[in-house]
Amino acid sequence: MQPITITPYNGLEPHQLEALYRSVGWTSYFRRPGLLAEAYARSLKAFAAWDGPRLVGVVRAVGDGVSILYIQDLIVHPEYQRRGIGSRLISEMLKCYPDVNQTVLLTDNTDNTVPFYEAIGFCKVEAVGCCSFIRLNEYYG
């Protein structure tokens, strides 16, 4: 088995990106044609994890990179989860913005996601006296 490499995501292999999102059931990006590609094009930064030529993980961030960095998507193909790829992707992103005031993300509240994010230094917003709000457009839900 060859090592997983992490590189900046440059928009190549859009069919692999779509397949990766579908592998974890994230299909809301496909309700509007071109949404996923446009979202990546407008992202602050994105990184990809590769097993040779196969895209096996991505992370992308939005924000200003100074006061806020928002981790919008972190996805690792189910066949590659629990191998440290997600941690490496987050680490690569955070290295680019060492002085940002706050890094924020939303995730599913599950027995897998909560311990993962806590283990890499994130805390629930309630722990710092905050709460979260979200407004979804009808096409999303």
Side-chain angles (χ1 to χ4, degrees), residues 55-89:
L55 180 65
V56 299
V58 291
V59 64
R60 76 179 183 100
V62 297
D64 58 33
V66 178
S67 67
I68 191 163
L69 180 69
Y70 192 97
I71 305 295
Q72 176 58 32
D73 296 336
L74 172 63
I75 299 175
V76 176
H77 192 283
E79 294 173 19
Y80 289 81
Q81 292 176 4
R82 300 198 175 275
R83 296 187 193 180
I85 297 168
S87 298
R88 287 180 58 203
L89 285 164

Side-chain angles (χ1 to χ4, degrees), residues 15-44:
H15 63 284
Q16 285 195 46
L17 184 64
E18 182 176 323
L20 182 61
Y21 274 71
R22 290 187 188 282
S23 77
V24 295
W26 288 17
T27 58
S28 63
Y29 283 98
F30 308 116
R31 293 192 178 131
R32 282 188 16 215
L35 178 67
L36 186 62
E38 186 174 351
Y40 269 79
R42 293 185 181 203
S43 294
L44 188 61

